[in-house]
Amino acid sequence: RDSWKKGAFFFMNHVNPYNGLAWKDDPAIGFVELFNEQEWGYMHSKAKLHDETKKEADAKYREWLKTKYKTVEKLAEAWKEKDIDSFEKAEIPPSFPVGSKKIRDNDYLLFLIDLSHESAEWMYKTMRETGYKGIITQYNISHWLGGQEARYEVSQATIANTYHNHPTSFSKSGSKCGQNSAVGGAGGYWRGIASMRFADRPFVETEFNHSFWNPYVYECGPLFGAYSALQGFDCLIIHEGVVYFRKKDPIHDFSVGRNPVSRAGEFLSACLFQRGDIKESSHRIELQIPKDYLESDCNAGKTVSTEQNKI
């Protein structure tokens, strides 16, 4: 945190030599994301974490459980696990709980929500201390409902990242990339981020692409441009749009500048979305998630139903 704070103050007080403005005061900066894709820390399996990180995570979780249950007897009763006779036997699960209904896993998800709140609130406060008065955002890969709840409370704009058939290991040897059509899947990667949106604040698509070597790369520009315009999104930022390249450089997973198909798609997207060739819908559908649903049966780890987000 000390390192992050130093970085925040350094960047936001950096003065642009061309206009004499510090970044914190420059109107060219539309919003600040506090920490890109921070939530990946929750998605990694425990086995991949550093030993020191595992110990710290377990200790933090035990503190949370002690606050909730007070005594180990109440914890064992709630979890229906008689062998728990000490809080030291409680650990974070080996992986992010998906499809579980165990009270143990539900507690972990609620713990992650509180951790997300606490982390973002600290960064938000620190960013304001730099003197920056603009829009502050956080959590752009939280499709899970608990992460969405945290984003709703702390982020002034919704931000989202998504990819169709993200390669398993980027452009490295042995990497695999799915070969199915995004349109054939009813635009699943677009629907996923559309269901992260909140009705009362801007929606910014901070990263998206239709990954090369998938043979349907040509779908990206029209699909994203048209549907994002129809839904009234506020901003689309393809990854990676502006990057230096040489003529001899090959096309890689997210090339736009040196991929003629992606460049054509960006032209179409500019017409459909930015120029306004597609009119924004005059209708809106809102999905409300009750608090008691969110906090029970591990529902916090679920995403919006694929059938519901087709609406």
Side-chain angles (χ1 to χ4, degrees):
R1 285 189 171 186
D2 182 56
S3 177
W4 188 93
K5 183 176 182 177
K6 288 177 180 177
F9 272 82
F10 174 81
F11 283 115
M12 299 316 293
N13 287 284
H14 168 74
V15 176
N16 183 335
Y18 297 100
N19 63 13
L21 293 173
W23 283 8
K24 65 183 180 183
D25 302 317
D26 197 330
I29 296 178
F31 62 94
V32 169
E33 178 191 9
L34 297 170
F35 194 119
N36 186 52
E37 296 190 345
Q38 189 184 28
E39 312 95 299
W40 273 125
Y42 302 152
M43 305 305 169
H44 284 292
S45 67
K46 189 176 182 180
K48 291 183 178 181
L49 300 178
H50 189 279
D51 287 342
E52 186 178 338
T53 307
K54 293 176 188 176
K55 291 179 181 177
E56 189 171 346
D58 285 336
K60 192 84 172 177
Y61 187 34
R62 288 165 189 151
E63 287 178 20
W64 187 90
L65 291 171
K66 288 176 183 176
T67 300
K68 179 175 181 177
Y69 290 106
K70 311 302 182 188
T71 68
V72 69
E73 289 78 16
K74 289 183 178 179
L75 172 65
E77 182 182 357
W79 284 12
K80 295 179 173 61
E81 296 183 25
K82 296 179 180 179
D83 59 330
I84 295 182
D85 54 11
S86 167
F87 279 104
E88 295 304 307
K89 289 189 176 181
E91 298 180 351
I92 66 171
S95 60
F96 189 84
V98 177
S100 171
K101 285 189 177 293
K102 293 181 179 178
I103 295 176
R104 168 195 281 266
D105 290 333
N106 190 69
D107 276 341
Y108 178 64
L109 290 167
L110 299 182
F111 162 70
L112 292 184
I113 294 174
D114 287 348
L115 205 62
S116 298
H117 275 271
E118 196 266 342
S119 178
E121 286 164 3
W122 179 86
M123 288 189 288
Y124 183 98
K125 178 177 177 290
T126 304
M127 182 57 66
R128 287 293 184 233
E129 289 172 357
T130 70
Y132 175 67
K133 297 181 175 64
I135 295 174
I136 295 176
T137 70
Q138 181 61 351
Y139 300 135
N140 55 8
I141 58 169
S142 283
H143 294 71
W144 58 295
L145 297 178
Q148 301 229 49
E149 192 272 345
R151 184 196 303 111
Y152 182 81
E153 295 295 336
V154 301
S155 186
Q156 296 176 311
T158 303
I159 51 177
N161 293 353
T162 188
Y163 294 89
H164 179 65
N165 286 342
H166 193 299
T168 57
S169 189
F170 296 93
S171 293
K172 296 177 183 177
S173 178
S175 179
K176 297 179 181 179
C177 180
Q179 299 295 289
N180 60 304
S181 158
V183 173
Y189 74 133
W190 181 90
R191 285 187 287 114
I193 57 103
S195 57
M196 293 165 64
R197 184 184 183 185
F198 300 128
D200 62 348
R201 67 200 71 184
F203 183 86
V204 179
E205 173 50 50
T206 41
E207 286 184 31
F208 74 96
N209 210 323
H210 189 125
S211 307
F212 191 75
W213 287 85
N214 180 277
Y216 297 94
V217 171
Y218 61 85
E219 296 176 345
C220 184
L223 189 156
F224 245 87
Y227 280 106
S228 299
L230 179 69
Q231 294 296 333
F233 287 7
D234 294 283
C235 180
L236 297 182
I237 306 172
I238 198 166
H239 178 78
E240 49 196 1
V242 181
V243 63
Y244 171 79
F245 65 94
R246 302 160 296 179
K247 288 185 178 179
K248 66 178 182 179
D249 288 338
I251 295 173
H252 65 76
D253 312 304
F254 309 122
S255 293
V256 176
R258 55 182 179 265
N259 185 329
V261 177
S262 295
R263 288 172 67 171
E266 280 294 270
F267 170 77
L268 291 172
S269 185
C271 295
L272 298 168
F273 177 78
Q274 193 169 9
R275 190 170 69 177
D277 290 9
I278 297 292
K279 182 181 177 181
E280 183 177 346
S281 173
S282 58
H283 304 284
R284 185 173 71 198
I285 294 173
E286 295 184 16
L287 178 67
Q288 295 185 346
I289 310 295
K291 187 176 179 65
D292 58 348
Y293 174 86
L294 179 74
E295 296 184 350
S296 61
D297 295 330
C298 294
N299 291 323
K302 295 179 180 178
T303 61
V304 172
S305 158
T306 55
E307 289 303 307
Q308 288 175 317
N309 70 24
K310 286 177 182 176
I311 302 174

PDB file of all heavy atoms in Angstrom, residues 168-190:
ATOM      1  N   THR A 168      -4.991 -19.290 -24.318  1.00  0.00           N
ATOM      2  CA  THR A 168      -4.612 -19.856 -23.022  1.00  0.00           C
ATOM      3  C   THR A 168      -3.263 -19.342 -22.532  1.00  0.00           C
ATOM      4  O   THR A 168      -3.012 -19.280 -21.334  1.00  0.00           O
ATOM      5  CB  THR A 168      -4.557 -21.392 -23.101  1.00  0.00           C
ATOM      6  OG1 THR A 168      -3.637 -21.776 -24.143  1.00  0.00           O
ATOM      7  CG2 THR A 168      -5.931 -21.975 -23.399  1.00  0.00           C
ATOM      8  N   SER A 169      -2.376 -18.968 -23.469  1.00  0.00           N
ATOM      9  CA  SER A 169      -1.049 -18.480 -23.077  1.00  0.00           C
ATOM     10  C   SER A 169      -0.550 -17.420 -24.067  1.00  0.00           C
ATOM     11  O   SER A 169       0.589 -17.459 -24.519  1.00  0.00           O
ATOM     12  CB  SER A 169      -0.054 -19.642 -22.985  1.00  0.00           C
ATOM     13  OG  SER A 169       1.158 -19.207 -22.412  1.00  0.00           O
ATOM     14  N   PHE A 170      -1.462 -16.513 -24.423  1.00  0.00           N
ATOM     15  CA  PHE A 170      -1.145 -15.425 -25.354  1.00  0.00           C
ATOM     16  C   PHE A 170      -0.516 -15.995 -26.623  1.00  0.00           C
ATOM     17  O   PHE A 170      -1.028 -16.951 -27.177  1.00  0.00           O
ATOM     18  CB  PHE A 170      -0.247 -14.384 -24.674  1.00  0.00           C
ATOM     19  CG  PHE A 170      -0.931 -13.707 -23.512  1.00  0.00           C
ATOM     20  CD1 PHE A 170      -0.784 -14.206 -22.220  1.00  0.00           C
ATOM     21  CD2 PHE A 170      -1.742 -12.601 -23.709  1.00  0.00           C
ATOM     22  CE1 PHE A 170      -1.428 -13.596 -21.150  1.00  0.00           C
ATOM     23  CE2 PHE A 170      -2.388 -11.995 -22.644  1.00  0.00           C
ATOM     24  CZ  PHE A 170      -2.229 -12.492 -21.370  1.00  0.00           C
ATOM     25  N   SER A 171       0.613 -15.434 -27.092  1.00  0.00           N
ATOM     26  CA  SER A 171       1.230 -15.878 -28.354  1.00  0.00           C
ATOM     27  C   SER A 171       2.337 -16.900 -28.142  1.00  0.00           C
ATOM     28  O   SER A 171       3.102 -17.188 -29.067  1.00  0.00           O
ATOM     29  CB  SER A 171       1.788 -14.665 -29.116  1.00  0.00           C
ATOM     30  OG  SER A 171       0.754 -13.821 -29.553  1.00  0.00           O
ATOM     31  N   LYS A 172       2.438 -17.435 -26.936  1.00  0.00           N
ATOM     32  CA  LYS A 172       3.502 -18.390 -26.652  1.00  0.00           C
ATOM     33  C   LYS A 172       3.241 -19.732 -27.348  1.00  0.00           C
ATOM     34  O   LYS A 172       2.101 -20.089 -27.634  1.00  0.00           O
ATOM     35  CB  LYS A 172       3.630 -18.597 -25.143  1.00  0.00           C
ATOM     36  CG  LYS A 172       4.057 -17.353 -24.384  1.00  0.00           C
ATOM     37  CD  LYS A 172       4.089 -17.613 -22.883  1.00  0.00           C
ATOM     38  CE  LYS A 172       4.448 -16.356 -22.113  1.00  0.00           C
ATOM     39  NZ  LYS A 172       4.423 -16.577 -20.642  1.00  0.00           N
ATOM     40  N   SER A 173       4.302 -20.467 -27.583  1.00  0.00           N
ATOM     41  CA  SER A 173       4.189 -21.785 -28.197  1.00  0.00           C
ATOM     42  C   SER A 173       3.298 -22.683 -27.346  1.00  0.00           C
ATOM     43  O   SER A 173       3.431 -22.732 -26.126  1.00  0.00           O
ATOM     44  CB  SER A 173       5.573 -22.407 -28.333  1.00  0.00           C
ATOM     45  OG  SER A 173       5.484 -23.698 -28.880  1.00  0.00           O
ATOM     46  N   GLY A 174       2.366 -23.370 -28.002  1.00  0.00           N
ATOM     47  CA  GLY A 174       1.447 -24.260 -27.299  1.00  0.00           C
ATOM     48  C   GLY A 174       0.163 -23.606 -26.834  1.00  0.00           C
ATOM     49  O   GLY A 174      -0.740 -24.275 -26.338  1.00  0.00           O
ATOM     50  N   SER A 175       0.057 -22.294 -26.983  1.00  0.00           N
ATOM     51  CA  SER A 175      -1.165 -21.584 -26.592  1.00  0.00           C
ATOM     52  C   SER A 175      -2.328 -22.027 -27.469  1.00  0.00           C
ATOM     53  O   SER A 175      -2.161 -22.300 -28.657  1.00  0.00           O
ATOM     54  CB  SER A 175      -0.941 -20.072 -26.737  1.00  0.00           C
ATOM     55  OG  SER A 175      -2.110 -19.362 -26.389  1.00  0.00           O
ATOM     56  N   LYS A 176      -3.511 -22.098 -26.882  1.00  0.00           N
ATOM     57  CA  LYS A 176      -4.698 -22.526 -27.621  1.00  0.00           C
ATOM     58  C   LYS A 176      -5.738 -21.418 -27.656  1.00  0.00           C
ATOM     59  O   LYS A 176      -5.901 -20.682 -26.688  1.00  0.00           O
ATOM     60  CB  LYS A 176      -5.302 -23.777 -26.974  1.00  0.00           C
ATOM     61  CG  LYS A 176      -4.374 -24.980 -26.997  1.00  0.00           C
ATOM     62  CD  LYS A 176      -5.017 -26.191 -26.329  1.00  0.00           C
ATOM     63  CE  LYS A 176      -4.068 -27.384 -26.343  1.00  0.00           C
ATOM     64  NZ  LYS A 176      -4.663 -28.577 -25.673  1.00  0.00           N
ATOM     65  N   CYS A 177      -6.435 -21.307 -28.774  1.00  0.00           N
ATOM     66  CA  CYS A 177      -7.468 -20.283 -28.953  1.00  0.00           C
ATOM     67  C   CYS A 177      -8.710 -20.937 -29.539  1.00  0.00           C
ATOM     68  O   CYS A 177      -8.636 -21.611 -30.576  1.00  0.00           O
ATOM     69  CB  CYS A 177      -6.957 -19.181 -29.891  1.00  0.00           C
ATOM     70  SG  CYS A 177      -8.141 -17.851 -30.187  1.00  0.00           S
ATOM     71  N   GLY A 178      -9.852 -20.767 -28.885  1.00  0.00           N
ATOM     72  CA  GLY A 178     -11.097 -21.356 -29.367  1.00  0.00           C
ATOM     73  C   GLY A 178     -11.432 -20.917 -30.780  1.00  0.00           C
ATOM     74  O   GLY A 178     -11.059 -19.821 -31.216  1.00  0.00           O
ATOM     75  N   GLN A 179     -12.151 -21.741 -31.497  1.00  0.00           N
ATOM     76  CA  GLN A 179     -12.428 -21.478 -32.915  1.00  0.00           C
ATOM     77  C   GLN A 179     -13.901 -21.210 -33.211  1.00  0.00           C
ATOM     78  O   GLN A 179     -14.318 -21.204 -34.360  1.00  0.00           O
ATOM     79  CB  GLN A 179     -11.943 -22.669 -33.750  1.00  0.00           C
ATOM     80  CG  GLN A 179     -10.453 -22.939 -33.640  1.00  0.00           C
ATOM     81  CD  GLN A 179      -9.628 -21.802 -34.215  1.00  0.00           C
ATOM     82  OE1 GLN A 179      -9.582 -21.604 -35.424  1.00  0.00           O
ATOM     83  NE2 GLN A 179      -8.998 -21.022 -33.337  1.00  0.00           N
ATOM     84  N   ASN A 180     -14.701 -20.958 -32.175  1.00  0.00           N
ATOM     85  CA  ASN A 180     -16.132 -20.741 -32.399  1.00  0.00           C
ATOM     86  C   ASN A 180     -16.440 -19.279 -32.697  1.00  0.00           C
ATOM     87  O   ASN A 180     -15.653 -18.369 -32.409  1.00  0.00           O
ATOM     88  CB  ASN A 180     -16.927 -21.197 -31.174  1.00  0.00           C
ATOM     89  CG  ASN A 180     -16.524 -20.444 -29.921  1.00  0.00           C
ATOM     90  OD1 ASN A 180     -15.355 -20.423 -29.549  1.00  0.00           O
ATOM     91  ND2 ASN A 180     -17.479 -19.820 -29.261  1.00  0.00           N
ATOM     92  N   SER A 181     -17.606 -19.061 -33.251  1.00  0.00           N
ATOM     93  CA  SER A 181     -18.070 -17.718 -33.608  1.00  0.00           C
ATOM     94  C   SER A 181     -18.708 -17.025 -32.405  1.00  0.00           C
ATOM     95  O   SER A 181     -19.469 -17.638 -31.657  1.00  0.00           O
ATOM     96  CB  SER A 181     -19.097 -17.825 -34.744  1.00  0.00           C
ATOM     97  OG  SER A 181     -19.932 -16.688 -34.806  1.00  0.00           O
ATOM     98  N   ALA A 182     -18.407 -15.726 -32.227  1.00  0.00           N
ATOM     99  CA  ALA A 182     -19.044 -14.955 -31.157  1.00  0.00           C
ATOM    100  C   ALA A 182     -20.520 -14.723 -31.486  1.00  0.00           C
ATOM    101  O   ALA A 182     -21.383 -14.807 -30.609  1.00  0.00           O
ATOM    102  CB  ALA A 182     -18.337 -13.622 -30.975  1.00  0.00           C
ATOM    103  N   VAL A 183     -20.812 -14.448 -32.748  1.00  0.00           N
ATOM    104  CA  VAL A 183     -22.205 -14.252 -33.167  1.00  0.00           C
ATOM    105  C   VAL A 183     -22.990 -15.548 -32.974  1.00  0.00           C
ATOM    106  O   VAL A 183     -24.139 -15.538 -32.521  1.00  0.00           O
ATOM    107  CB  VAL A 183     -22.272 -13.791 -34.641  1.00  0.00           C
ATOM    108  CG1 VAL A 183     -23.713 -13.761 -35.135  1.00  0.00           C
ATOM    109  CG2 VAL A 183     -21.628 -12.413 -34.788  1.00  0.00           C
ATOM    110  N   GLY A 184     -22.344 -16.672 -33.269  1.00  0.00           N
ATOM    111  CA  GLY A 184     -22.989 -17.969 -33.084  1.00  0.00           C
ATOM    112  C   GLY A 184     -23.317 -18.252 -31.635  1.00  0.00           C
ATOM    113  O   GLY A 184     -24.219 -19.033 -31.332  1.00  0.00           O
ATOM    114  N   GLY A 185     -22.600 -17.607 -30.725  1.00  0.00           N
ATOM    115  CA  GLY A 185     -22.866 -17.750 -29.295  1.00  0.00           C
ATOM    116  C   GLY A 185     -23.682 -16.602 -28.749  1.00  0.00           C
ATOM    117  O   GLY A 185     -23.658 -16.335 -27.541  1.00  0.00           O
ATOM    118  N   ALA A 186     -24.405 -15.912 -29.617  1.00  0.00           N
ATOM    119  CA  ALA A 186     -25.255 -14.777 -29.223  1.00  0.00           C
ATOM    120  C   ALA A 186     -24.460 -13.680 -28.512  1.00  0.00           C
ATOM    121  O   ALA A 186     -24.944 -13.052 -27.584  1.00  0.00           O
ATOM    122  CB  ALA A 186     -26.423 -15.245 -28.349  1.00  0.00           C
ATOM    123  N   GLY A 187     -23.227 -13.483 -28.980  1.00  0.00           N
ATOM    124  CA  GLY A 187     -22.407 -12.398 -28.421  1.00  0.00           C
ATOM    125  C   GLY A 187     -22.131 -12.551 -26.946  1.00  0.00           C
ATOM    126  O   GLY A 187     -22.177 -11.575 -26.198  1.00  0.00           O
ATOM    127  N   GLY A 188     -21.816 -13.769 -26.512  1.00  0.00           N
ATOM    128  CA  GLY A 188     -21.671 -14.054 -25.087  1.00  0.00           C
ATOM    129  C   GLY A 188     -20.693 -13.144 -24.364  1.00  0.00           C
ATOM    130  O   GLY A 188     -20.956 -12.704 -23.251  1.00  0.00           O
ATOM    131  N   TYR A 189     -19.550 -12.851 -24.989  1.00  0.00           N
ATOM    132  CA  TYR A 189     -18.554 -12.019 -24.292  1.00  0.00           C
ATOM    133  C   TYR A 189     -19.030 -10.585 -24.175  1.00  0.00           C
ATOM    134  O   TYR A 189     -18.680  -9.884 -23.220  1.00  0.00           O
ATOM    135  CB  TYR A 189     -17.189 -12.119 -24.972  1.00  0.00           C
ATOM    136  CG  TYR A 189     -16.975 -11.403 -26.293  1.00  0.00           C
ATOM    137  CD1 TYR A 189     -15.834 -10.619 -26.486  1.00  0.00           C
ATOM    138  CD2 TYR A 189     -17.865 -11.534 -27.356  1.00  0.00           C
ATOM    139  CE1 TYR A 189     -15.580  -9.981 -27.689  1.00  0.00           C
ATOM    140  CE2 TYR A 189     -17.630 -10.910 -28.565  1.00  0.00           C
ATOM    141  CZ  TYR A 189     -16.487 -10.129 -28.736  1.00  0.00           C
ATOM    142  OH  TYR A 189     -16.256  -9.499 -29.942  1.00  0.00           O
ATOM    143  N   TRP A 190     -19.848 -10.127 -25.105  1.00  0.00           N
ATOM    144  CA  TRP A 190     -20.445  -8.789 -24.998  1.00  0.00           C
ATOM    145  C   TRP A 190     -21.572  -8.779 -23.963  1.00  0.00           C
ATOM    146  O   TRP A 190     -21.672  -7.875 -23.145  1.00  0.00           O
ATOM    147  CB  TRP A 190     -20.981  -8.332 -26.363  1.00  0.00           C
ATOM    148  CG  TRP A 190     -21.573  -6.957 -26.290  1.00  0.00           C
ATOM    149  CD1 TRP A 190     -20.928  -5.768 -26.484  1.00  0.00           C
ATOM    150  CD2 TRP A 190     -22.922  -6.626 -25.957  1.00  0.00           C
ATOM    151  NE1 TRP A 190     -21.789  -4.717 -26.292  1.00  0.00           N
ATOM    152  CE2 TRP A 190     -23.018  -5.220 -25.973  1.00  0.00           C
ATOM    153  CE3 TRP A 190     -24.058  -7.370 -25.650  1.00  0.00           C
ATOM    154  CZ2 TRP A 190     -24.213  -4.554 -25.683  1.00  0.00           C
ATOM    155  CZ3 TRP A 190     -25.232  -6.717 -25.358  1.00  0.00           C
ATOM    156  CH2 TRP A 190     -25.311  -5.314 -25.383  1.00  0.00           C
TER     157      TRP A 190
END
